[in-house]
Amino acid sequence: MSSDGAAIAAALRRSPVYVDPAYEGALPTARRERLVKRIRRSPIPIYVVLVPLVAGGTWQSSEQVTTVVRSHLGRDGAYVTLNTDFGDVFDVVMWGGSEEQRRSAHAAGWAMSLDRRYDKSSLADRLDRCVELIATGKGTEAYDQAHDQAFPPGAPTRTKTNAPGPHGVRHGDGTPVALPVAVAAAVLAGGGALLWLLRRRRARAAHDRLALPHRVFGTARQADEDELRARAERELIALGELLDDAQGDPSELGRALDAYTAAGKALDRAGSLADLAGVLVLVHLGRTPQDAPPLCYFDPRHGEGAIAVTWRAPGTRTRRDVRVCPRCARAVRDREVPDVLLDDGRPYYEAATIWAETGYGQFGDLVGRILRD
């Protein structure tokens, strides 16, 4: 089965649910048919695309999947993808509709990450519930309720944050800007489910690597750096091509160009995972509106920091309000140690770097600091 954008779009014209062979076991035929029936009753067009995300593979991010598939399909609606980089989160991006509908649709995916009732549920059950929230327009309501239950009053976190809105570069009316076809084509390459499974296993067992012999750990670290550098280079090139054709508010474009310049400067100097993660943050700043959620404070590779928490580093008394991904939010809520990006063997925020000083831009003007320095 081909998994390129045109083939997926062709399949979605026949059925609103596309499932790559890697996910067939998680969403068997009976459950898929049930999901299709629910979607066909929805007043909002919904398209589900389940494909494995693999660094260097055909699909590398949920945003890429949504943008490319929608450009081929040419239809408005809520596009549901699965972001496996940080805890199997449903990314929902909606084209068309009102701003409230777009925010509610996107919030539906995050609600499923916070709702503890679904912690041990199957992918099929969680996807069914996500689609229900999109169809009924209750995504924001479900997100707020799950958030308040996860972070009750008196817990060591902020009790509320606005439901996350759709992410990505935007038109003036708030709808996402589709990447140019040339950009989409440039990032497509071969890939497979085996690499995806190995990548997930590595991410879930990251803490175990610290117990490996130094020689093995050094090899693994170099592989991670090489992979992340290649990803940073791809995303920087894609941002540059996007800006070549961009139109809109001159101040927003100027902010994006500054972020692009800073990212290029940071990439030239990058000598560690922490530096390369900083490049991803700068690219993210160039691709998103000024009020968009930042990337996760603990590790930008986790994705959007859609949840605000109050956190104190071990051994310190200072509490900080930071934006984090759902997985790290659960760790803070459960008083566990979040999965923190390491810099030379210690948490990056303990190092004397611009990334630590600014919390990857959450505590200050990261772009300005990079350009000035």
PDB file of all heavy atoms in Angstrom, residues 251-284:
ATOM      1  N   SER A 251       5.005  42.983   9.849  1.00  0.00           N
ATOM      2  CA  SER A 251       5.635  42.762  11.149  1.00  0.00           C
ATOM      3  C   SER A 251       5.766  41.278  11.461  1.00  0.00           C
ATOM      4  O   SER A 251       6.775  40.836  12.028  1.00  0.00           O
ATOM      5  CB  SER A 251       4.839  43.470  12.259  1.00  0.00           C
ATOM      6  OG  SER A 251       3.542  42.903  12.387  1.00  0.00           O
ATOM      7  N   GLU A 252       4.745  40.489  11.097  1.00  0.00           N
ATOM      8  CA  GLU A 252       4.818  39.044  11.320  1.00  0.00           C
ATOM      9  C   GLU A 252       5.894  38.422  10.439  1.00  0.00           C
ATOM     10  O   GLU A 252       6.642  37.553  10.863  1.00  0.00           O
ATOM     11  CB  GLU A 252       3.460  38.395  11.033  1.00  0.00           C
ATOM     12  CG  GLU A 252       2.448  38.549  12.148  1.00  0.00           C
ATOM     13  CD  GLU A 252       2.855  37.758  13.386  1.00  0.00           C
ATOM     14  OE1 GLU A 252       3.206  36.569  13.262  1.00  0.00           O
ATOM     15  OE2 GLU A 252       2.828  38.334  14.486  1.00  0.00           O
ATOM     16  N   LEU A 253       5.960  38.882   9.170  1.00  0.00           N
ATOM     17  CA  LEU A 253       6.976  38.353   8.268  1.00  0.00           C
ATOM     18  C   LEU A 253       8.375  38.721   8.764  1.00  0.00           C
ATOM     19  O   LEU A 253       9.303  37.918   8.685  1.00  0.00           O
ATOM     20  CB  LEU A 253       6.755  38.889   6.849  1.00  0.00           C
ATOM     21  CG  LEU A 253       5.533  38.339   6.112  1.00  0.00           C
ATOM     22  CD1 LEU A 253       5.396  38.988   4.744  1.00  0.00           C
ATOM     23  CD2 LEU A 253       5.631  36.826   5.961  1.00  0.00           C
ATOM     24  N   GLY A 254       8.518  39.951   9.271  1.00  0.00           N
ATOM     25  CA  GLY A 254       9.806  40.359   9.807  1.00  0.00           C
ATOM     26  C   GLY A 254      10.222  39.510  10.991  1.00  0.00           C
ATOM     27  O   GLY A 254      11.396  39.129  11.125  1.00  0.00           O
ATOM     28  N   ARG A 255       9.249  39.191  11.854  1.00  0.00           N
ATOM     29  CA  ARG A 255       9.535  38.332  13.012  1.00  0.00           C
ATOM     30  C   ARG A 255       9.961  36.944  12.550  1.00  0.00           C
ATOM     31  O   ARG A 255      10.895  36.350  13.100  1.00  0.00           O
ATOM     32  CB  ARG A 255       8.285  38.241  13.890  1.00  0.00           C
ATOM     33  CG  ARG A 255       8.499  37.538  15.222  1.00  0.00           C
ATOM     34  CD  ARG A 255       7.206  37.514  16.022  1.00  0.00           C
ATOM     35  NE  ARG A 255       6.203  36.679  15.394  1.00  0.00           N
ATOM     36  CZ  ARG A 255       6.120  35.350  15.557  1.00  0.00           C
ATOM     37  NH1 ARG A 255       6.982  34.723  16.353  1.00  0.00           N
ATOM     38  NH2 ARG A 255       5.180  34.656  14.968  1.00  0.00           N
ATOM     39  N   ALA A 256       9.281  36.425  11.513  1.00  0.00           N
ATOM     40  CA  ALA A 256       9.617  35.102  10.992  1.00  0.00           C
ATOM     41  C   ALA A 256      11.008  35.100  10.361  1.00  0.00           C
ATOM     42  O   ALA A 256      11.785  34.147  10.535  1.00  0.00           O
ATOM     43  CB  ALA A 256       8.569  34.660   9.978  1.00  0.00           C
ATOM     44  N   LEU A 257      11.353  36.158   9.630  1.00  0.00           N
ATOM     45  CA  LEU A 257      12.672  36.238   9.004  1.00  0.00           C
ATOM     46  C   LEU A 257      13.771  36.340  10.055  1.00  0.00           C
ATOM     47  O   LEU A 257      14.848  35.755   9.898  1.00  0.00           O
ATOM     48  CB  LEU A 257      12.730  37.448   8.062  1.00  0.00           C
ATOM     49  CG  LEU A 257      11.955  37.284   6.742  1.00  0.00           C
ATOM     50  CD1 LEU A 257      11.869  38.620   6.014  1.00  0.00           C
ATOM     51  CD2 LEU A 257      12.625  36.237   5.845  1.00  0.00           C
ATOM     52  N   ASP A 258      13.518  37.087  11.130  1.00  0.00           N
ATOM     53  CA  ASP A 258      14.498  37.164  12.222  1.00  0.00           C
ATOM     54  C   ASP A 258      14.728  35.786  12.844  1.00  0.00           C
ATOM     55  O   ASP A 258      15.863  35.399  13.140  1.00  0.00           O
ATOM     56  CB  ASP A 258      14.018  38.141  13.290  1.00  0.00           C
ATOM     57  CG  ASP A 258      14.177  39.595  12.872  1.00  0.00           C
ATOM     58  OD1 ASP A 258      14.890  39.853  11.883  1.00  0.00           O
ATOM     59  OD2 ASP A 258      13.568  40.465  13.529  1.00  0.00           O
ATOM     60  N   ALA A 259      13.620  35.049  13.047  1.00  0.00           N
ATOM     61  CA  ALA A 259      13.742  33.707  13.631  1.00  0.00           C
ATOM     62  C   ALA A 259      14.511  32.782  12.689  1.00  0.00           C
ATOM     63  O   ALA A 259      15.333  31.961  13.137  1.00  0.00           O
ATOM     64  CB  ALA A 259      12.352  33.141  13.928  1.00  0.00           C
ATOM     65  N   TYR A 260      14.252  32.912  11.390  1.00  0.00           N
ATOM     66  CA  TYR A 260      14.955  32.101  10.389  1.00  0.00           C
ATOM     67  C   TYR A 260      16.452  32.402  10.413  1.00  0.00           C
ATOM     68  O   TYR A 260      17.289  31.491  10.403  1.00  0.00           O
ATOM     69  CB  TYR A 260      14.369  32.382   9.009  1.00  0.00           C
ATOM     70  CG  TYR A 260      15.142  31.755   7.866  1.00  0.00           C
ATOM     71  CD1 TYR A 260      15.050  30.394   7.603  1.00  0.00           C
ATOM     72  CD2 TYR A 260      15.952  32.534   7.049  1.00  0.00           C
ATOM     73  CE1 TYR A 260      15.760  29.816   6.552  1.00  0.00           C
ATOM     74  CE2 TYR A 260      16.658  31.964   6.003  1.00  0.00           C
ATOM     75  CZ  TYR A 260      16.554  30.610   5.755  1.00  0.00           C
ATOM     76  OH  TYR A 260      17.257  30.040   4.724  1.00  0.00           O
ATOM     77  N   THR A 261      16.800  33.692  10.463  1.00  0.00           N
ATOM     78  CA  THR A 261      18.209  34.090  10.512  1.00  0.00           C
ATOM     79  C   THR A 261      18.877  33.560  11.773  1.00  0.00           C
ATOM     80  O   THR A 261      19.999  33.044  11.734  1.00  0.00           O
ATOM     81  CB  THR A 261      18.332  35.624  10.460  1.00  0.00           C
ATOM     82  OG1 THR A 261      17.695  36.118   9.273  1.00  0.00           O
ATOM     83  CG2 THR A 261      19.784  36.050  10.462  1.00  0.00           C
ATOM     84  N   ALA A 262      18.179  33.688  12.908  1.00  0.00           N
ATOM     85  CA  ALA A 262      18.724  33.205  14.174  1.00  0.00           C
ATOM     86  C   ALA A 262      18.908  31.689  14.142  1.00  0.00           C
ATOM     87  O   ALA A 262      19.901  31.162  14.662  1.00  0.00           O
ATOM     88  CB  ALA A 262      17.808  33.604  15.325  1.00  0.00           C
ATOM     89  N   ALA A 263      17.965  30.976  13.536  1.00  0.00           N
ATOM     90  CA  ALA A 263      18.069  29.516  13.459  1.00  0.00           C
ATOM     91  C   ALA A 263      19.277  29.104  12.630  1.00  0.00           C
ATOM     92  O   ALA A 263      19.994  28.156  12.978  1.00  0.00           O
ATOM     93  CB  ALA A 263      16.790  28.936  12.866  1.00  0.00           C
ATOM     94  N   GLY A 264      19.514  29.802  11.520  1.00  0.00           N
ATOM     95  CA  GLY A 264      20.678  29.496  10.699  1.00  0.00           C
ATOM     96  C   GLY A 264      21.969  29.747  11.449  1.00  0.00           C
ATOM     97  O   GLY A 264      22.927  28.951  11.372  1.00  0.00           O
ATOM     98  N   LYS A 265      21.999  30.829  12.195  1.00  0.00           N
ATOM     99  CA  LYS A 265      23.178  31.160  12.995  1.00  0.00           C
ATOM    100  C   LYS A 265      23.412  30.102  14.074  1.00  0.00           C
ATOM    101  O   LYS A 265      24.547  29.664  14.308  1.00  0.00           O
ATOM    102  CB  LYS A 265      22.969  32.538  13.627  1.00  0.00           C
ATOM    103  CG  LYS A 265      24.184  33.146  14.283  1.00  0.00           C
ATOM    104  CD  LYS A 265      23.876  34.570  14.754  1.00  0.00           C
ATOM    105  CE  LYS A 265      25.084  35.202  15.432  1.00  0.00           C
ATOM    106  NZ  LYS A 265      24.785  36.590  15.902  1.00  0.00           N
ATOM    107  N   ALA A 266      22.333  29.694  14.745  1.00  0.00           N
ATOM    108  CA  ALA A 266      22.451  28.678  15.800  1.00  0.00           C
ATOM    109  C   ALA A 266      22.888  27.334  15.230  1.00  0.00           C
ATOM    110  O   ALA A 266      23.674  26.607  15.857  1.00  0.00           O
ATOM    111  CB  ALA A 266      21.126  28.542  16.541  1.00  0.00           C
ATOM    112  N   LEU A 267      22.391  26.988  14.042  1.00  0.00           N
ATOM    113  CA  LEU A 267      22.754  25.709  13.433  1.00  0.00           C
ATOM    114  C   LEU A 267      24.234  25.685  13.073  1.00  0.00           C
ATOM    115  O   LEU A 267      24.907  24.661  13.253  1.00  0.00           O
ATOM    116  CB  LEU A 267      21.901  25.463  12.190  1.00  0.00           C
ATOM    117  CG  LEU A 267      22.139  24.135  11.460  1.00  0.00           C
ATOM    118  CD1 LEU A 267      21.886  22.960  12.378  1.00  0.00           C
ATOM    119  CD2 LEU A 267      21.247  24.048  10.216  1.00  0.00           C
ATOM    120  N   ASP A 268      24.750  26.795  12.574  1.00  0.00           N
ATOM    121  CA  ASP A 268      26.175  26.859  12.219  1.00  0.00           C
ATOM    122  C   ASP A 268      27.057  26.614  13.444  1.00  0.00           C
ATOM    123  O   ASP A 268      28.152  26.056  13.325  1.00  0.00           O
ATOM    124  CB  ASP A 268      26.520  28.228  11.628  1.00  0.00           C
ATOM    125  CG  ASP A 268      25.945  28.412  10.227  1.00  0.00           C
ATOM    126  OD1 ASP A 268      25.612  27.393   9.589  1.00  0.00           O
ATOM    127  OD2 ASP A 268      25.821  29.561   9.771  1.00  0.00           O
ATOM    128  N   ARG A 269      26.601  27.023  14.611  1.00  0.00           N
ATOM    129  CA  ARG A 269      27.408  26.919  15.830  1.00  0.00           C
ATOM    130  C   ARG A 269      27.066  25.685  16.667  1.00  0.00           C
ATOM    131  O   ARG A 269      27.718  25.441  17.685  1.00  0.00           O
ATOM    132  CB  ARG A 269      27.200  28.161  16.691  1.00  0.00           C
ATOM    133  CG  ARG A 269      27.583  29.461  16.013  1.00  0.00           C
ATOM    134  CD  ARG A 269      27.261  30.636  16.920  1.00  0.00           C
ATOM    135  NE  ARG A 269      27.670  31.918  16.346  1.00  0.00           N
ATOM    136  CZ  ARG A 269      27.501  33.091  16.947  1.00  0.00           C
ATOM    137  NH1 ARG A 269      26.933  33.149  18.136  1.00  0.00           N
ATOM    138  NH2 ARG A 269      27.893  34.200  16.353  1.00  0.00           N
ATOM    139  N   ALA A 270      26.039  24.946  16.287  1.00  0.00           N
ATOM    140  CA  ALA A 270      25.530  23.857  17.131  1.00  0.00           C
ATOM    141  C   ALA A 270      26.586  22.777  17.339  1.00  0.00           C
ATOM    142  O   ALA A 270      27.167  22.264  16.381  1.00  0.00           O
ATOM    143  CB  ALA A 270      24.274  23.255  16.513  1.00  0.00           C
ATOM    144  N   GLY A 271      26.794  22.421  18.604  1.00  0.00           N
ATOM    145  CA  GLY A 271      27.750  21.372  18.924  1.00  0.00           C
ATOM    146  C   GLY A 271      27.215  20.343  19.890  1.00  0.00           C
ATOM    147  O   GLY A 271      27.972  19.530  20.407  1.00  0.00           O
ATOM    148  N   SER A 272      25.907  20.376  20.156  1.00  0.00           N
ATOM    149  CA  SER A 272      25.319  19.441  21.104  1.00  0.00           C
ATOM    150  C   SER A 272      23.841  19.261  20.796  1.00  0.00           C
ATOM    151  O   SER A 272      23.254  20.002  19.992  1.00  0.00           O
ATOM    152  CB  SER A 272      25.476  19.962  22.540  1.00  0.00           C
ATOM    153  OG  SER A 272      24.681  21.136  22.714  1.00  0.00           O
ATOM    154  N   LEU A 273      23.232  18.269  21.458  1.00  0.00           N
ATOM    155  CA  LEU A 273      21.787  18.069  21.313  1.00  0.00           C
ATOM    156  C   LEU A 273      21.019  19.309  21.762  1.00  0.00           C
ATOM    157  O   LEU A 273      20.019  19.691  21.148  1.00  0.00           O
ATOM    158  CB  LEU A 273      21.340  16.859  22.134  1.00  0.00           C
ATOM    159  CG  LEU A 273      21.554  15.472  21.533  1.00  0.00           C
ATOM    160  CD1 LEU A 273      21.191  14.399  22.549  1.00  0.00           C
ATOM    161  CD2 LEU A 273      20.718  15.298  20.276  1.00  0.00           C
ATOM    162  N   ALA A 274      21.486  19.926  22.852  1.00  0.00           N
ATOM    163  CA  ALA A 274      20.801  21.117  23.357  1.00  0.00           C
ATOM    164  C   ALA A 274      20.821  22.240  22.324  1.00  0.00           C
ATOM    165  O   ALA A 274      19.833  22.957  22.137  1.00  0.00           O
ATOM    166  CB  ALA A 274      21.452  21.581  24.660  1.00  0.00           C
ATOM    167  N   ASP A 275      21.954  22.401  21.622  1.00  0.00           N
ATOM    168  CA  ASP A 275      22.041  23.429  20.585  1.00  0.00           C
ATOM    169  C   ASP A 275      21.098  23.122  19.429  1.00  0.00           C
ATOM    170  O   ASP A 275      20.421  24.009  18.904  1.00  0.00           O
ATOM    171  CB  ASP A 275      23.475  23.516  20.045  1.00  0.00           C
ATOM    172  CG  ASP A 275      24.458  24.035  21.072  1.00  0.00           C
ATOM    173  OD1 ASP A 275      24.025  24.726  22.018  1.00  0.00           O
ATOM    174  OD2 ASP A 275      25.661  23.748  20.935  1.00  0.00           O
ATOM    175  N   LEU A 276      21.065  21.862  19.020  1.00  0.00           N
ATOM    176  CA  LEU A 276      20.210  21.487  17.893  1.00  0.00           C
ATOM    177  C   LEU A 276      18.733  21.610  18.249  1.00  0.00           C
ATOM    178  O   LEU A 276      17.908  21.993  17.412  1.00  0.00           O
ATOM    179  CB  LEU A 276      20.538  20.057  17.456  1.00  0.00           C
ATOM    180  CG  LEU A 276      21.940  19.893  16.858  1.00  0.00           C
ATOM    181  CD1 LEU A 276      22.291  18.412  16.711  1.00  0.00           C
ATOM    182  CD2 LEU A 276      22.028  20.597  15.510  1.00  0.00           C
ATOM    183  N   ALA A 277      18.394  21.300  19.500  1.00  0.00           N
ATOM    184  CA  ALA A 277      17.015  21.515  19.949  1.00  0.00           C
ATOM    185  C   ALA A 277      16.676  22.995  19.884  1.00  0.00           C
ATOM    186  O   ALA A 277      15.543  23.376  19.570  1.00  0.00           O
ATOM    187  CB  ALA A 277      16.839  20.984  21.368  1.00  0.00           C
ATOM    188  N   GLY A 278      17.662  23.853  20.182  1.00  0.00           N
ATOM    189  CA  GLY A 278      17.446  25.289  20.079  1.00  0.00           C
ATOM    190  C   GLY A 278      17.130  25.720  18.658  1.00  0.00           C
ATOM    191  O   GLY A 278      16.319  26.625  18.440  1.00  0.00           O
ATOM    192  N   VAL A 279      17.738  25.080  17.680  1.00  0.00           N
ATOM    193  CA  VAL A 279      17.428  25.376  16.278  1.00  0.00           C
ATOM    194  C   VAL A 279      15.959  25.055  15.987  1.00  0.00           C
ATOM    195  O   VAL A 279      15.253  25.823  15.321  1.00  0.00           O
ATOM    196  CB  VAL A 279      18.348  24.580  15.335  1.00  0.00           C
ATOM    197  CG1 VAL A 279      17.961  24.828  13.874  1.00  0.00           C
ATOM    198  CG2 VAL A 279      19.812  24.956  15.563  1.00  0.00           C
ATOM    199  N   LEU A 280      15.490  23.914  16.499  1.00  0.00           N
ATOM    200  CA  LEU A 280      14.080  23.549  16.294  1.00  0.00           C
ATOM    201  C   LEU A 280      13.154  24.596  16.913  1.00  0.00           C
ATOM    202  O   LEU A 280      12.110  24.927  16.349  1.00  0.00           O
ATOM    203  CB  LEU A 280      13.792  22.177  16.901  1.00  0.00           C
ATOM    204  CG  LEU A 280      14.549  20.990  16.318  1.00  0.00           C
ATOM    205  CD1 LEU A 280      14.075  19.699  16.986  1.00  0.00           C
ATOM    206  CD2 LEU A 280      14.356  20.901  14.819  1.00  0.00           C
ATOM    207  N   VAL A 281      13.527  25.100  18.082  1.00  0.00           N
ATOM    208  CA  VAL A 281      12.717  26.129  18.737  1.00  0.00           C
ATOM    209  C   VAL A 281      12.656  27.385  17.876  1.00  0.00           C
ATOM    210  O   VAL A 281      11.586  27.979  17.678  1.00  0.00           O
ATOM    211  CB  VAL A 281      13.294  26.460  20.131  1.00  0.00           C
ATOM    212  CG1 VAL A 281      12.610  27.698  20.707  1.00  0.00           C
ATOM    213  CG2 VAL A 281      13.117  25.283  21.076  1.00  0.00           C
ATOM    214  N   LEU A 282      13.783  27.802  17.329  1.00  0.00           N
ATOM    215  CA  LEU A 282      13.824  29.011  16.517  1.00  0.00           C
ATOM    216  C   LEU A 282      13.023  28.834  15.229  1.00  0.00           C
ATOM    217  O   LEU A 282      12.320  29.751  14.791  1.00  0.00           O
ATOM    218  CB  LEU A 282      15.280  29.369  16.194  1.00  0.00           C
ATOM    219  CG  LEU A 282      16.100  29.832  17.410  1.00  0.00           C
ATOM    220  CD1 LEU A 282      17.586  29.773  17.108  1.00  0.00           C
ATOM    221  CD2 LEU A 282      15.686  31.239  17.833  1.00  0.00           C
ATOM    222  N   VAL A 283      13.091  27.654  14.620  1.00  0.00           N
ATOM    223  CA  VAL A 283      12.283  27.379  13.429  1.00  0.00           C
ATOM    224  C   VAL A 283      10.803  27.427  13.786  1.00  0.00           C
ATOM    225  O   VAL A 283       9.982  27.977  13.053  1.00  0.00           O
ATOM    226  CB  VAL A 283      12.649  26.016  12.815  1.00  0.00           C
ATOM    227  CG1 VAL A 283      11.652  25.628  11.734  1.00  0.00           C
ATOM    228  CG2 VAL A 283      14.064  26.063  12.232  1.00  0.00           C
ATOM    229  N   HIS A 284      10.456  26.859  14.943  1.00  0.00           N
ATOM    230  CA  HIS A 284       9.065  26.877  15.409  1.00  0.00           C
ATOM    231  C   HIS A 284       8.576  28.312  15.580  1.00  0.00           C
ATOM    232  O   HIS A 284       7.451  28.644  15.188  1.00  0.00           O
ATOM    233  CB  HIS A 284       8.962  26.124  16.733  1.00  0.00           C
ATOM    234  CG  HIS A 284       7.595  26.125  17.337  1.00  0.00           C
ATOM    235  ND1 HIS A 284       6.573  25.318  16.889  1.00  0.00           N
ATOM    236  CD2 HIS A 284       7.073  26.846  18.373  1.00  0.00           C
ATOM    237  CE1 HIS A 284       5.485  25.540  17.600  1.00  0.00           C
ATOM    238  NE2 HIS A 284       5.764  26.464  18.514  1.00  0.00           N
TER     239      HIS A 284
END
